[in-house]
Amino acid sequence: IHVHGNVPDMLPYLQSAAIFVHPHQGAAGIQNKILEAMACGVPVVTTVTGNQGINAIHEESALIGHTKEELARHAIRILTDKELAQKISVNSRKLIEDTHSWELAYKQIDSIIDELFE
């Protein structure tokens, strides 16, 4: 386990990570760090509140736990089950491409602008 703080760019760290654990306990706002990890294809372990607005499906595009013990068990599963890690990685990347990509955001903004000028 390597812990890095105050890095100038997360991308190289995410691209080399085997797992992204986010034990979120807050209840406000979408967790951009999770979006970034998923976009990089990093298997994510998080909480229900960490998943808010992302709508990952447990066991498909993330592992979602309710307690710190459950998060730890999920993390161990990702690190020891390469097939599961690969499945979560591929599915989470696809989820972000389908629901949170910049291209999709631009299309939604363009649609709103088009409606305003009709």
Side-chain angles (χ1 to χ4, degrees):
I1 295 174
H2 300 277
V3 177
H4 302 277
N6 300 320
V7 297
D9 181 9
M10 286 292 297
L11 189 60
Y13 295 94
L14 289 172
Q15 290 173 331
S16 65
I19 188 172
F20 186 86
V21 179
H22 185 60
H24 186 262
Q25 294 184 3
I30 195 164
Q31 298 301 300
N32 289 319
K33 355 175 170 20
I34 293 177
L35 293 177
E36 290 182 48
M38 290 176 136
C40 289
V42 180
V44 169
V45 173
T46 191
T47 59
V48 172
T49 59
N51 188 40
Q52 286 179 337
I54 297 169
N55 302 320
I57 298 170
H58 179 64
E59 299 273 344
E60 288 297 318
S61 46
L63 293 183
I64 301 165
H66 301 293
T67 66
K68 57 187 170 187
E69 293 80 14
E70 196 172 18
L71 292 172
R73 282 193 302 274
H74 290 332
I76 291 167
R77 282 185 62 208
I78 289 290
L79 293 171
T80 58
D81 185 338
K82 299 304 177 195
E83 282 185 33
L84 176 63
Q86 179 65 22
K87 175 180 135 179
I88 299 290
S89 174
V90 168
N91 290 342
S92 66
R93 169 74 185 181
K94 179 160 179 20
L95 174 68
I96 298 310
E97 289 172 351
D98 292 348
T99 63
H100 290 84
S101 70
W102 284 114
E103 183 179 298
L104 179 61
Y106 295 146
K107 286 180 184 178
Q108 291 170 340
I109 291 169
D110 287 345
S111 176
I112 291 168
I113 292 170
D114 289 345
E115 285 181 31
L116 291 173
F117 292 104
E118 284 183 358

